């Protein structure tokens, strides 16, 4: 949408028109941000080789956008992924990689991605990399052990045999 700016805004911005892009993003930005924090795009790119005809975004970004769409829409069909992508191209290009096209999430790319992810060798690499990035083991002192009781209470008679 193109908006004519007021005189004061024109002087501040040095423009007479302002272009506003409105997109409904729901929780996609949050989901993509969390997957980026987990390192999911890089983790998925390592074990999956690029296809010889591959153009556009990487396999990791394909999976991240696809997963965000599935979780937001509650729908896994390719039609809904492409539809939701068309309504958020500007937002997705800022969150992920510029130049995302609906063709980047076509069903043959998604099936190729799933074929590789479902292979045990690829899946074990992905799982290992995600665990390495998300789990931490600490050597804690065992001098003091704290055992918290449950917050639930009840008024029950305990039989003699304890059952």
């Amino acid at each position: 949408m193109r908006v004519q700016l007021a005189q004061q805004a024109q002087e501040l911005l040095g423009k007479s028109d302002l272009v506003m892009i409105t997109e409904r993003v729901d929780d996609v930005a949050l989901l993509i941000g969390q997957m980026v924090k987990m390192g999911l795009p890089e983790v998925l790119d390592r074990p999956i080789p690029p296809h010889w005809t591959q153009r556009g975004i990487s396999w990791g970004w394909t999976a991240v956008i696809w997963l965000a769409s599935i979780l937001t829409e509650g729908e896994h069909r390719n039609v809904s992924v492409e539809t939701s992508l068309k309504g958020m191209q500007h937002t997705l290009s800022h969150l992920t990689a510029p130049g995302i096209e609906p063709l980047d999430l076509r069903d043959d790319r998604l099936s190729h991605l799933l074929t590789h992810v479902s292979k045990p060798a690829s899946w074990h690499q992905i799982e290992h990399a995600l665990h390495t990035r998300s789990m931490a083991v600490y050597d804690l002192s065992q001098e003091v052990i704290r055992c918290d009781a449950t917050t639930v209470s009840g008024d029950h008679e305990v039989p003699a045999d304890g059952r």
Side-chain angles (χ1 to χ4, degrees), residues 51-98:
H51 192 267
W52 65 277
T53 61
Q54 183 174 346
R55 54 160 285 287
I57 60 175
S58 71
W59 292 121
W61 282 113
T62 301
V64 164
I65 294 168
W66 192 33
L67 287 169
S69 176
I70 289 171
L71 292 169
T72 298
E73 300 293 328
E75 178 66 68
H76 69 281
R77 293 179 307 146
N78 185 41
V79 174
S80 71
V81 175
E82 286 185 41
T83 303
S84 63
L85 175 64
K86 286 179 184 175
M88 292 188 280
Q89 274 187 289
H90 185 76
T91 301
L92 289 174
S93 70
H94 285 283
L95 291 173
T96 59

